[in-house]
Amino acid sequence: MPSSIAPVWETPPATGDTLRTGLLGTWRSDTAYFVGRGTGVEILDRVSGKSLGKIEPPEADMSPCGMTDGLNKAGMGAISWVKGDPLSSRAACDRVSLIDTRNGARPVWTASVPGAVVGKQPLTSDENRLAFLSDGVLAVMSPNTVVGLSVADKRELWTWRNPGVADHTYVFNEHMVTGRDRIMVMVALETAATEWSRTVITLDGNGTQMSAVPLPDFSLLGRKYRLLSAEPATVLLDAAAFDRSTPPEIIVFGGDGTIARRIKLSTGAGPTTPNQIDMLRTLKRFDIQLSATTVYAIAGDVTAESSPTRVAAYDLATGATKWVQPVDLATTPRFLSADDDTVYVLGGKAAFDMNVYAYSAESGTRTQVGTVAAPDRLLPISSLVMDYKGGELAMVRPNQGDFGAMMFRAPGA
C-alpha cells in the first residue's frame, strides 16, 4: 500500500431510470475502468477518467442484466442482456456475451442461455448471475439452471437443473459463487403460502451435484442469508435489521459441501453489523473480508466519539476469535483487501483525510501504511463500492448520487 493516495478524477452522476441505474459491477483492465449499471457498461480511461463510450449490446434495444465480478486472467469478462423493457413481466435475461477488454471491449461471442422449460416456456427473469469457474469455463445461472459455457467457443459443456424442473414445486436460484473446482448456488424453496427456506447446492467443476444442505434458523423472522465465497466456502447469516442482540454468523462449508461449523461474529465491543451495499435489483455486497484462513468483520458504533470501531478476526478452521483491534474514533471502516498475512482497512471519514491500516492476520498488530486524501466533497463512505489494486482506489456510487465514480491514485501508479 503506497503511503499517500490522492483523488485524480471523478465521473458525473448516473442518469436514467432510477430502477436501472444501480450498479452491476466494475472491471479493471490495463488501460480502462469499466462501470456496469442496468443502463449500460461505461468504459473510462484509467488515467483521466474520460468516457470512452459504452460496451455495445449484440442487438438494439438491449440493456445489461448481469455481469461477472471482475475479469479472468486473459482480460475477458461476461455480460448478460435483456431485450426490451427489463421491468416487464415478460423480461428475459437470456443472452450472454463474452467481452475481450484488451481488444476493443467488443463481444467475442453471444449465446442464448434460457432456463429449463417449465409449463412449455423456458423459466427466465430480468436478471441472472455470471461467474468464471476457471479461465476456460463461464457459469451462467438462470432461475432454475446453471449452465457451463466454453469460453473458447460458447459450447454448452454441461447443465445442472434444480429440483423444481422435475417436480414443478416453486424453487428459485437466488445467488451463485464459484471457486476453482466448485460452484455454490443459493436456492429458495416456497414451503408454505408465506414461508420460505434456503438450501445451498454445491456442484463440482463438471456441474455434478455434490450436496444439498438446508440452511439452519431461516425461520427467524427477518434474518438474511448470503453466499460470500466458494473458496473458502462460506455463507453469511445476518441478523434481522431490528435485532441488535443476535450476532451475525458465518456458516463454513467443508470440502464435501456440508456444513463444517458456525462462527458467531460477536466480540463484546459492540454489535457486529455487516455493512450491506444495495446495487441493482437484488444484488448486494456485504463488507466482510475473507482470506483462506480468516474472516474479518467490523464491530462497534461508527459514530461513537468515546470508543473506536474495531476489526475482529475469526479463525475459519476452529471458529475461535483470533483478535479484536481498534480502528479510529468516529470512523466508518471499510475493507480494501486481504491476503494470508495481512488485512488492509480504510478508516473512512466523510470530509477528512482517511487512514489506511494493515493488521497482521495472526496477531492483529496494526500499522498505518498510508493515507487517502479527502476530495472536495462529502463521501458517503458506508454506501460506496471500494475497489483497490496496485496503488489505485476507486470509490463507486452503486446508485444515483452526486457523482458516479471517483479514482484515487498514488504518485507513479
Side-chain angles (χ1 to χ4, degrees):
M1 173 70 68
S3 60
S4 179
I5 298 177
V8 290
W9 55 256
E10 68 176 71
T11 64
T15 58
D17 186 339
T18 57
L19 295 177
R20 298 300 298 169
T21 51
L23 189 69
L24 279 168
T26 60
W27 295 343
R28 185 193 300 256
S29 74
D30 294 339
T31 59
Y33 193 72
F34 299 78
V35 179
R37 302 182 184 274
T39 50
V41 181
E42 188 171 17
I43 310 170
L44 305 171
D45 182 89
R46 284 254 312 265
V47 174
S48 66
K50 179 182 177 181
S51 177
L52 303 177
K54 291 186 175 181
I55 294 179
E56 294 297 326
E59 297 179 24
D61 195 25
M62 280 186 167
S63 56
C65 50
M67 187 172 174
T68 52
D69 186 15
L71 306 171
N72 69 8
K73 293 179 181 179
M76 301 287 184
I79 299 171
S80 51
W81 311 91
V82 59
K83 188 173 177 64
D85 179 6
L87 302 179
S88 165
S89 60
R90 290 178 161 270
C93 181
D94 59 1
R95 305 290 180 88
V96 178
S97 294
L98 183 73
I99 308 296
D100 186 351
T101 64
R102 298 179 182 178
N103 188 24
R106 297 183 180 89
V108 177
W109 51 251
T110 298
S112 177
V113 190
V117 173
V118 174
K120 298 183 180 181
Q121 294 290 333
L123 186 59
T124 56
S125 69
D126 64 337
E127 58 184 340
N128 66 17
R129 302 287 183 268
L130 307 172
F132 289 108
L133 180 60
S134 65
D135 284 348
V137 180
L138 175 68
V140 182
M141 188 194 84
S142 80
N144 63 0
T145 64
V146 177
V147 178
L149 297 180
S150 166
V151 169
D153 56 15
K154 74 179 182 181
R155 285 182 301 114
E156 184 175 311
L157 302 174
W158 49 259
T159 297
W160 171 83
R161 291 171 171 81
N162 74 22
V165 177
D167 60 19
H168 298 282
T169 58
Y170 192 81
V171 297
F172 196 86
N173 297 341
E174 283 190 323
H175 191 213
M176 176 182 73
V177 291
T178 61
R180 288 171 296 182
D181 61 354
R182 70 170 58 194
I183 302 167
M184 297 176 70
V185 185
M186 181 82 74
V187 177
L189 170 66
E190 188 177 28
T191 55
T194 59
E195 294 183 9
W196 291 79
S197 65
R198 297 297 189 276
T199 295
V200 171
I201 307 288
T202 300
L203 314 176
D204 67 16
N206 296 313
T208 301
Q209 183 170 317
M210 297 168 54
S211 63
V213 180
L215 291 176
D217 294 346
F218 191 78
S219 60
L220 297 177
L221 183 63
R223 299 196 78 173
K224 302 184 292 291
Y225 281 116
R226 189 66 174 175
L227 294 170
L228 290 180
S229 167
E231 200 174 337
T234 49
V235 173
L236 170 68
L237 171 55
D238 195 13
F242 55 82
D243 183 359
R244 302 283 287 180
S245 61
T246 303
E249 293 183 45
I250 298 295
I251 301 174
V252 183
F253 287 74
D256 60 355
T258 60
I259 293 176
R261 68 194 53 83
R262 297 171 65 174
I263 303 173
K264 289 185 181 296
L265 304 183
S266 179
T267 66
T272 299
T273 307
N275 184 42
Q276 177 179 303
I277 300 171
D278 295 324
M279 299 166 65
L280 180 68
R281 301 282 285 165
T282 61
L283 282 177
K284 301 181 187 301
R285 290 192 181 188
F286 290 91
D287 206 26
I288 297 280
Q289 187 69 54
L290 289 161
S291 72
T293 61
T294 311
V295 57
Y296 302 94
I298 300 296
D301 184 353
V302 300
T303 64
E305 296 185 358
S306 59
S307 178
T309 49
R310 297 178 184 275
V311 177
Y314 304 86
D315 192 311
L316 285 172
T318 66
T321 301
K322 297 171 69 173
W323 48 260
V324 181
Q325 295 291 346
V327 187
D328 284 322
L329 293 172
T331 187
T332 302
R334 295 295 307 275
F335 291 112
L336 297 180
S337 64
D339 54 35
D340 290 344
D341 302 315
T342 310
V343 61
Y344 296 92
V345 178
L346 174 71
K349 292 180 182 287
F352 300 92
D353 290 355
M354 295 163 276
N355 295 325
V356 180
Y357 296 110
Y359 293 82
S360 165
E362 289 306 312
S363 66
T365 300
R366 186 184 79 170
T367 305
Q368 184 174 343
V369 295
T371 58
V372 176
D376 189 21
R377 65 167 67 246
L378 294 176
L379 292 176
I381 296 295
S382 64
S383 64
L384 299 177
V385 170
M386 302 283 178
D387 180 2
Y388 175 78
K389 185 178 181 181
E392 286 188 341
L393 173 62
M395 298 185 185
V396 184
R397 292 290 304 247
N399 292 289
Q400 289 185 343
D402 56 351
F403 68 94
M406 186 177 296
M407 183 67 80
F408 299 74
R409 181 177 293 120

